[in-house]
Amino acid sequence: MGERDRPKQPKLDTPGDPHAVLTLLGTGTSAGVPLIGCDCATCTSVDPRDRRLRTSAMLRFTDARGVRRTVLLDVGPDHRQQALAHRIDRADHILLTHSHVDHVWGLDEVRRYNALMGTSIPVIGDARTIDEVCRIYAHIFDHARNTNDSWVADLAAIRIAPGASLDCHGIRATAVPMLHGRLPILAWRFDGQGPLFPLVYATDVNGIPPESWNHLMGTRTLVLDGLRFRSHPTHLTIDQAIDAAARIGAARTVLVHMTHDILHERDARKLPQGVEFGFDGLELR
Ligand SMILES: [Zn+2]
Ligand SMILES: [Zn+2]
Ligand SMILES: [Zn+2]
């Protein structure tokens, strides 16, 4: 059966959803674009693709029982704004790449999903990331010690070993070890049904450890760090990202975490076929 002949409705007796969508909630570097107090060409651009909230993403799909699911990939400081823009009303899993401010400083906001869903939310990351999150959010993870009994998120912290997988309501998520400078972090690979998969989400990387390559094989959709053209000690440059994308061989590679050095319209012309700049709100399916 060709892709064009796929049934319009998801088949609900098989796991996964051929209509799964990955939405880029933010595609900017840690300070966001525009940069505060900057009047460069990008920061004053009227092209909406040059306005970049902090990098994170959302995978939406319908599970085998017909329930709509939402998996969040990092929850950064712009999460409230992203949630309102995309009408996010639940989080079935939160998968973290690492604990830098621009990737986890929105976790307070998910208390609203707890209220809407009436359940705790599993937050999954490597041991270092979860330890950091528990320290930063002591008022959530050790709430018995709060002075007042205030409204805080209900999160279940789960440490995952690099290379291990978990089931997200029928979609398999695998924690893929990556390097962010000297810091070991995670990329996430998703295996499910439909043209989006296998999908790899790899932000804040500049090194791929040898043991991770087998997790990247067969990737169809790749979301990859591509900071800027100038070199950086902890992020892939655009040229390095293009090289990595060529080695991984995904049909579609979308770069994220760009600084204000990148002016979308001007610089997109410099990318080879199959590689593109992401922008806030871009939906991959
Ligand atoms: Zn970052
Ligand atoms: Zn600027
Ligand atoms: Zn980072």
Side-chain angles (χ1 to χ4, degrees):
M1 184 169 65
E3 271 185 25
R4 289 176 191 285
D5 303 316
R6 278 183 288 113
K8 287 275 186 289
Q9 292 300 316
K11 262 181 85 184
L12 296 182
D13 58 345
T14 51
D17 174 3
H19 303 281
V21 178
L22 183 84
T23 304
L24 302 182
L25 299 176
T27 56
T29 192
S30 60
V33 179
L35 197 59
I36 293 173
C38 184
D39 48 18
C40 76
T42 304
C43 291
T44 56
S45 166
V46 294
D47 185 340
R49 298 172 301 178
D50 288 320
R51 302 189 77 82
R52 307 180 184 117
L53 297 176
R54 265 61 70 88
T55 292
S56 68
M58 162 177 72
L59 180 63
R60 269 181 172 159
F61 59 98
T62 303
D63 74 8
R65 289 163 50 219
V67 180
R68 212 167 42 84
R69 302 290 183 181
T70 299
V71 174
L72 297 178
L73 283 148
D74 291 334
V75 182
D78 297 319
H79 187 74
R80 180 175 177 277
Q81 198 177 332
Q82 294 162 334
L84 293 171
H86 297 280
R87 305 182 70 85
I88 306 172
D89 59 2
R90 61 184 298 126
D92 295 282
H93 289 89
I94 296 173
L95 306 181
L96 300 178
T97 59
H98 64 306
S99 63
H100 283 166
V101 168
D102 53 323
H103 297 265
V104 301
W105 282 41
L107 275 172
D108 260 325
E109 308 296 354
V110 309
R111 61 187 182 161
R112 182 64 188 135
Y113 307 140
N114 291 130
L116 291 165
M117 299 167 68
T119 62
S120 177
I121 300 171
V123 178
I124 300 110
D126 62 18
R128 181 196 300 257
T129 298
I130 295 299
D131 289 348
E132 278 289 286
V133 164
C134 289
R135 180 185 65 78
I136 296 162
Y137 291 101
H139 65 285
I140 292 175
F141 292 99
D142 196 10
H143 59 86
R145 297 182 62 177
N146 291 352
T147 307
N148 292 319
D149 185 19
S150 57
W151 180 27
V152 299
D154 180 359
L155 301 172
I158 298 171
R159 292 165 177 78
I160 191 168
S165 297
L166 75 145
D167 175 63
C168 294
H169 299 283
I171 287 179
R172 186 157 52 95
T174 303
V176 182
M178 288 285 173
L179 282 171
H180 184 16
R182 290 203 302 265
L183 180 69
I185 68 163
L186 295 179
W188 288 94
R189 174 187 171 119
F190 298 92
D191 288 278
Q193 291 199 340
L196 183 65
F197 303 108
L199 160 72
V200 170
Y201 183 82
T203 188
D204 292 62
V205 303
N206 73 334
I208 302 175
E211 67 271 22
S212 294
W213 279 97
N214 64 325
H215 294 298
L216 303 177
M217 289 301 108
T219 301
R220 201 159 179 183
T221 311
L222 173 64
V223 177
L224 184 63
D225 189 350
L227 187 76
R228 63 185 190 193
F229 288 97
R230 288 180 297 128
S231 70
H232 191 278
T234 66
H235 290 270
L236 291 175
T237 64
I238 303 301
D239 292 326
Q240 290 167 339
I242 290 169
D243 286 348
R247 285 186 67 188
I248 295 167
R252 185 176 188 185
T253 297
V254 181
L255 304 182
V256 295
H257 214 289
M258 286 83 70
T259 72
H260 66 158
D261 286 14
I262 303 300
L263 187 65
H264 191 109
E265 180 75 33
R266 178 193 67 199
D267 293 321
R269 293 188 218 116
K270 301 171 185 166
L271 300 178
Q273 197 179 10
V275 181
E276 63 197 280
F277 289 120
F279 53 87
D280 292 17
L282 178 63
E283 294 184 343
L284 309 176
R285 40 184 94 229

